[in-house]
Amino acid sequence: VGLPARGKSFISRKVERFLKWTGNRTQTFNVGKYRRDAVDPERSGKSDFFDKSNRDAVVQRREMAMAALADAIKFLDDGGKFAIFDATNSTVERRKLIADKVTNAGRKYSILWVEAVCDDEEVVMFNMLTKVRYSPDFQQMTEEQAMQDLKQRIANYEEIYETVQDSEGAFIKLFNLSSKVMANHCYGRVAKSILPYLMAIHIGSRPIWLTR
């Protein structure tokens, strides 16, 4: 859960690698990839595709999110342990839709929301630069054009964004990539493994000392 350029995909990749390392069959389902596969990134990557007044795009984005979610549930049905649903999931309504789909799958799957909250300008700028330089959405733009378009995409999401509420169940909120962490109803292996790991992730370089 989170606005664009808040580190959601970075966190998803980190958690996926960690869970695989611990022996758990894990896969990430990135809704942005589904979008780019379905609609040319030159069109679907533009900020107006994320405008709530663009009704056709709203329908298309919902369809792609549901396709990714269906694949995530199938992965779990086929024996997967953790499915990471990498998307903005920016409203209570969207998160309820996801929760209902998971519940109606007929298995006792648990949901843990991980929300990336970021208001540190340096961290946001780092994330934005990384996104415009490496995302297929911006390949046809100059860096300056891409930054302006990304800022407009973020503004579109800010108009509808709703933070995760206590009533939505288990969640972990990471503020500025773990400078502060908030947890709600996290028990069992989540408390023992995933929460401590998320508390330790960062984007800064740190020295590693090897001794013998």
Side-chain angles (χ1 to χ4, degrees), residues 125-139 141-144 146-147 150:
M125 182 56 65
F126 175 87
N127 290 340
M128 290 178 69
L129 285 171
T130 300
K131 192 172 185 70
V132 301
R133 288 171 179 170
Y134 300 109
S135 171
D137 288 345
F138 304 103
Q139 286 183 350
M141 305 181 200
T142 65
E143 187 169 296
E144 182 179 356
M147 286 293 284
L150 179 55

Side-chain angles (χ1 to χ4, degrees), residues 152-182:
Q152 184 56 53
R153 183 193 299 192
I154 293 171
N156 289 341
Y157 271 106
E158 285 176 332
E159 291 182 10
I160 62 170
Y161 189 79
E162 297 170 307
T163 190
V164 180
Q165 306 295 319
D166 289 357
S167 58
E168 294 183 71
F171 68 71
I172 298 171
K173 294 188 182 186
L174 301 179
F175 294 82
N176 297 316
L177 285 177
S178 77
S179 66
K180 172 185 170 184
V181 178
M182 180 187 297

Side-chain angles (χ1 to χ4, degrees), residues 57-115:
V58 168
V59 171
Q60 287 179 301
R61 287 192 286 118
R62 184 184 186 281
E63 289 175 349
M64 295 160 202
M66 292 302 100
L69 182 60
D71 286 347
I73 293 173
K74 184 178 185 303
F75 170 76
L76 295 174
D77 288 343
D78 292 342
K81 295 298 183 184
F82 291 93
I84 300 172
F85 188 65
D86 180 11
T88 54
N89 300 317
S90 52
T91 65
V92 172
E93 180 184 8
R94 172 54 59 87
R95 294 191 293 271
K96 184 179 184 305
L97 175 62
I98 293 167
D100 289 345
K101 291 281 187 183
V102 173
T103 300
N104 294 335
R107 304 285 185 92
K108 291 185 177 180
Y109 297 138
S110 300
I111 295 178
L112 170 66
W113 303 109
V114 178
E115 182 174 6

